[in-house]
Amino acid sequence: MIDEFNLGVQSVPDRDTAYCILGGAEDNEIFEEAGKILREGGVVAFPTETVYGLGASVYCEEAIDRVFRAKGRPNDNPLIAHIADMSGLEQLVTYMPDHALRLAEAYWPGPMTLVLPKLPLVPDSVTAGLDTVGVRMPSDPNARNLLRAAGVPVAAPSANRSGRPSPTKAQHVLQDMNGRIDMILDGGESVCGLESTVIDCSGQGITILRPGYVTAQMIYDVTGIQPAIGYGTVTGATVPKAPGMKYRHYAPKGRLFVALDDDSNDDCNSRIRDAYDKDFAQGRKCVILVTKQDKEFFGNRNAILIGDRTDLSTVAHRVFDAFRQCDREGYDVIYMRGVPDTGVGAAIMNRVIKASEGRI
Ligand code: AMP
Ligand code: MG
């Protein structure tokens, strides 16, 4: 069926996955077709402002099962349900505590997931048997058009194979999912580049289960509640509470080492340079992920630019793409200087530490 659909479809040789580029005159038809595929139990990858999602109707257990299989995702890791507007909540959750409502009013649509008490009709396969469901209203216009066309809440984890860096471009999705799913919608690069902040609002207080663009300070600003931290931090003291946060994740194929940014610039960069030179002398193919400010320090050593230290949103935007570039170029060892563990830096460090083999 999908192969016959040729509006804006770029043919991918020898595969069944339709690849549709958005931004043209056929967008409406593409969204209608993609929405129909979702309602009928298919799997569609789509752009969001965080990363690309792998969508299936929340109510279609067979499609949910296909998402887990396409990703190779462990069954105990729940999916986030995506909605187009507030009325979508009525199909998913029993109630919205006041503080959750304030968060939704302030930061939806946007890169924030709220974990709320679920309605019985939400299948256990979506929530991994939990009595809560993660809900997000994305802001990306293409994501919103797709959700409206689907007319059902869409469960969507990141559209990468489990353990791999999250996809921030449709090409990344194609690399991981070609032949495994029905359709990929290409809406260009994800603006944020990191997954949503996951916030547990199902109990009395507020707990951040996964850091993201919506920071602890932003939560405090609108609720007056200081959120608890429920994810592993750089110092490693906290036991992760979101099921998905316990796995090694987001990782490039080469071994990634992080120099924590806890001392002077030169110290941090010298440690990276010394480790690089040692590995290089032993015949390993090495690369350093550098910001604009640090690039010069490393001379003519292999380097990939990941943004500007004075604007960490540029690093958030680039980091997963840089990991995939390391894979393509076949580096054995990758070094990166950490960023300050606050604001969006906390989200970057959370992903980088989880992807890394160790620290230097
Ligand atoms: P991904 O789908 O790859 O963006 O990952 C979703 C993240 O949200 C994972 O870390 C999940 O464990 C977490 N999550 C989703 N639903 C829930 C829930 N009901 N309770 C706690 N964590 C959740
Ligand atoms: Mg993911």
Side-chain angles (χ1 to χ4, degrees), residues 169-253:
K169 296 175 177 171
Q171 285 299 317
H172 300 161
V173 181
L174 196 63
Q175 287 159 13
D176 282 17
M177 292 295 159
N178 201 0
R180 294 172 184 275
I181 62 173
D182 299 308
M183 183 183 262
I184 297 170
L185 301 183
D186 181 347
E189 285 185 39
S190 300
V191 176
C192 300
L194 292 180
E195 306 84 347
S196 58
T197 308
V198 179
I199 307 171
D200 187 355
C201 290
S202 64
Q204 291 287 314
I206 299 179
T207 305
I208 303 179
L209 301 180
R210 177 173 72 185
Y213 260 81
V214 173
T215 60
Q217 182 64 47
M218 288 164 71
I219 295 169
Y220 180 79
D221 286 347
V222 297
T223 62
I225 299 171
Q226 194 60 55
I229 302 299
Y231 57 88
T233 56
V234 171
T235 45
T238 320
V239 178
K241 293 196 180 101
M245 295 300 279
K246 65 178 180 279
Y247 298 104
R248 177 153 187 260
H249 232 97
Y250 317 117
K253 288 175 187 152

Side-chain angles (χ1 to χ4, degrees), residues 71 73 157-158 160 166 195 210 249-250:
K71 276 184 68 73
R73 183 174 175 112
S158 50
N160 52 302
S166 296
E195 306 84 347
R210 177 173 72 185
H249 232 97
Y250 317 117

Side-chain angles (χ1 to χ4, degrees), residues 1-202:
M1 167 187 114
I2 309 303
D3 281 337
E4 286 162 22
F5 171 62
N6 60 7
L7 287 166
V9 177
Q10 210 183 51
S11 69
V12 178
D14 308 313
R15 311 285 180 179
D16 293 320
T17 303
Y19 189 96
C20 304
I21 298 174
L22 297 170
E26 291 95 6
D27 276 12
N28 279 345
E29 283 122 297
I30 293 172
F31 288 127
E32 282 312 312
E33 179 66 19
K36 184 161 169 267
I37 292 171
L38 288 171
R39 279 193 304 282
E40 291 176 353
V43 177
V44 177
F46 62 99
T48 85
E49 71 279 16
T50 57
V51 301
Y52 274 73
L54 195 59
S57 164
V58 161
Y59 305 123
C60 181
E61 298 221 40
E62 206 179 301
I64 298 297
D65 187 51
R66 278 185 65 202
V67 165
F68 277 95
R69 276 187 284 125
K71 276 184 68 73
R73 183 174 175 112
N75 285 328
D76 68 349
N77 192 1
L79 308 183
I80 293 167
H82 292 69
I83 56 175
D85 49 48
M86 290 300 271
S87 70
L89 278 173
E90 290 157 24
Q91 304 172 63
L92 295 168
V93 310
T94 52
Y95 76 102
M96 265 304 251
D98 263 2
H99 52 267
L101 207 53
R102 260 175 259 141
L103 287 169
E105 276 163 7
Y107 304 124
W108 272 354
M112 175 184 76
T113 297
L114 299 178
V115 171
L116 296 161
K118 84 171 183 88
L119 284 170
L121 91 160
V122 179
D124 280 347
S125 50
V126 172
T127 63
L130 298 172
D131 52 14
T132 54
V133 59
V135 186
R136 183 161 97 84
M137 189 193 297
S139 62
D140 180 275
N142 291 320
R144 295 173 66 72
N145 282 332
L146 174 66
L147 292 170
R148 274 193 285 263
V152 287
V154 173
S158 50
N160 52 302
R161 293 276 296 163
S162 247
R164 300 262 298 131
S166 296
T168 56
K169 296 175 177 171
Q171 285 299 317
H172 300 161
V173 181
L174 196 63
Q175 287 159 13
D176 282 17
M177 292 295 159
N178 201 0
R180 294 172 184 275
I181 62 173
D182 299 308
M183 183 183 262
I184 297 170
L185 301 183
D186 181 347
E189 285 185 39
S190 300
V191 176
C192 300
L194 292 180
E195 306 84 347
S196 58
T197 308
V198 179
I199 307 171
D200 187 355
C201 290
S202 64

